[in-house]
Amino acid sequence: MLTMKKLVLTTAMSSIPLLGYAAEFSKPETYGFISAGVLNTDNQDFEVEAFEIELGLKGTARVQDLNLLYKVEVDLAQAANRADSGDPGKDGESEIHVKEAILRLPTRYGTFVLAARGTSGQWAQLYGPINHYEYNEPHAALNSDGIFFQPDRSSGVFAWASPAVANTRMVLAAITLTEDNGEDADAASIRLVYNDKTLQMGAGTTLIKSAQLPAFTQKDLLLTTLSAGYRLESLQLGAVWEHSDNQPYPGSPDGSANSDSFGISTNITLGEDYSTALGYKEKDHEYDVLDEKVYLLKLERQLDDQVKI
């Protein structure tokens, strides 16, 4: 399977010269990231677990005056953790989680993005100001905390980010989640983000069509988000508010309900090697049984440039 993926990537990148222009490829950069720890979770066994095992490849193909940026990244954590899943004979066997498979084309008219799979830009830019944590990042496929409804991953994305004007960009995205449902785009998003490296503010909406939601609801899901972040040398502050219209809920007569969620977080650097982060998140659902609260605390020591505990 991995061989086939390499063949497809090679064929796609090698097709560029067929357009009549010579492509100049930079040497690809490889990188990796490992995050692991000991978990003590209610109603589960005490265990050592890999949170993330990421391997990535990124580089540039130059065609005339254009730089085509590509990035491919996979996460092997689920396969590594399969050994204690209780499934005999399946040690180390699980689906590889593709985190990023993205092409970016920066131009004077803005940046165009094609992503077969990747981190949701809506998530990264609007919810990023409160993500100062490792395991407690609310990845929907791994350890969702149930507070925010915005997905952290997207697939089949075509997006355009405008050039920056007064430190502000607008981003439009069309998203195809299912290929054979008769819909050219299953979801869409728009956001405005201001970022001067000290202050960050953003507002955006995400629309997910009902065809992508459970069959018991016939309404489109609409998410509205506001966020802000403030950064100094030793202090980071963040706040996010999300309103969900027509969130799927089988207990409702029409199969949907509304909710309001918010989160705040601060990350403080304590001297040269130590830092701490404190956070709080809460969801106020139309049906109280789905109300949630999350408290977060992180203590961190940087051992060197590449290792921290």
Side-chain angles (χ1 to χ4, degrees):
M1 189 65 177
L2 288 176
T3 302
M4 182 179 294
K5 289 182 179 178
K6 289 180 180 178
L7 175 61
V8 171
L9 177 61
T10 302
T11 303
M13 298 302 291
S14 298
S15 68
I16 292 176
L18 299 180
L19 300 176
Y21 301 102
E24 184 178 329
F25 292 90
S26 65
K27 182 179 179 180
E29 176 186 345
T30 59
Y31 61 93
F33 175 77
I34 297 177
S35 174
V38 178
L39 283 181
N40 184 11
T41 307
D42 287 348
N43 303 318
Q44 294 184 20
D45 293 344
F46 190 81
E47 62 180 339
V48 175
E49 186 162 319
F51 306 144
E52 292 169 303
I53 305 176
E54 297 174 354
L55 299 175
L57 178 72
K58 59 184 178 181
T60 303
R62 186 172 180 83
V63 183
Q64 294 289 86
D65 295 328
L66 299 176
N67 286 319
L68 181 65
L69 313 177
Y70 63 88
K71 181 178 181 180
V72 180
E73 182 178 297
V74 297
D75 191 343
L76 308 178
Q78 288 177 293
N81 294 329
R82 189 66 182 268
D84 59 3
S85 66
D87 192 354
K90 293 294 184 180
D91 290 2
E93 295 184 16
S94 184
E95 291 186 8
I96 295 176
H97 180 59
V98 179
K99 297 189 71 173
E100 310 283 346
I102 299 176
L103 295 174
R104 290 187 174 90
L105 181 63
T107 73
R108 61 187 297 183
Y109 306 105
T111 299
F112 297 88
V113 180
L114 291 173
R117 181 68 172 166
T119 300
S120 163
Q122 201 88 339
W123 175 264
Q125 292 188 328
L126 297 183
Y127 297 77
I130 64 171
N131 277 340
H132 302 134
Y133 308 91
E134 276 74 32
Y135 176 78
N136 299 104
E137 289 182 341
H139 297 310
L142 301 177
N143 49 276
S144 173
D145 60 19
I147 300 297
F148 298 111
F149 208 85
Q150 169 70 40
D152 69 320
R153 302 288 170 201
S154 296
S155 60
V157 178
F158 174 71
W160 170 76
S162 72
V165 178
N167 298 314
T168 303
R169 295 180 187 271
M170 179 175 67
V171 183
L172 305 174
I175 305 160
T176 301
L177 301 171
T178 303
E179 297 178 349
D180 56 358
N181 62 358
E183 297 281 354
D184 291 331
D186 303 309
S189 67
I190 181 173
R191 63 184 178 276
L192 283 174
V193 178
Y194 171 88
N195 191 346
D196 65 4
K197 297 184 179 181
T198 298
L199 177 64
Q200 175 181 336
M201 298 185 294
T205 61
T206 298
L207 175 70
I208 301 177
K209 294 184 178 180
S210 60
Q212 291 303 309
L213 303 176
F216 57 77
T217 181
Q218 302 300 315
K219 295 183 178 181
D220 296 343
L221 169 66
L222 181 65
L223 302 174
T224 303
T225 307
L226 300 175
S227 73
Y230 184 73
R231 178 189 295 267
L232 292 176
E233 289 186 4
S234 60
L235 174 67
Q236 298 176 53
L237 302 172
V240 177
W241 169 79
E242 175 193 87
H243 177 73
S244 171
D245 277 315
N246 304 323
Q247 182 180 141
Y249 181 60
S252 171
D254 64 358
S256 63
N258 300 334
S259 68
D260 286 283
S261 302
F262 76 91
I264 56 175
S265 184
T266 179
N267 190 79
I268 305 170
T269 301
L270 306 171
E272 194 170 307
D273 301 325
Y274 294 89
S275 66
T276 184
L278 299 169
Y280 174 76
K281 293 181 285 187
E282 179 177 323
K283 177 171 69 175
D284 181 14
H285 198 272
E286 185 177 339
Y287 291 83
D288 293 346
V289 67
L290 292 184
D291 288 352
E292 295 285 355
K293 295 180 180 179
V294 175
Y295 299 88
L296 297 163
L297 168 65
K298 179 183 75 170
L299 302 174
E300 178 181 298
R301 183 181 179 186
Q302 195 76 34
L303 299 181
D304 59 33
D305 290 342
Q306 295 181 310
V307 180
K308 63 182 179 181
I309 58 175

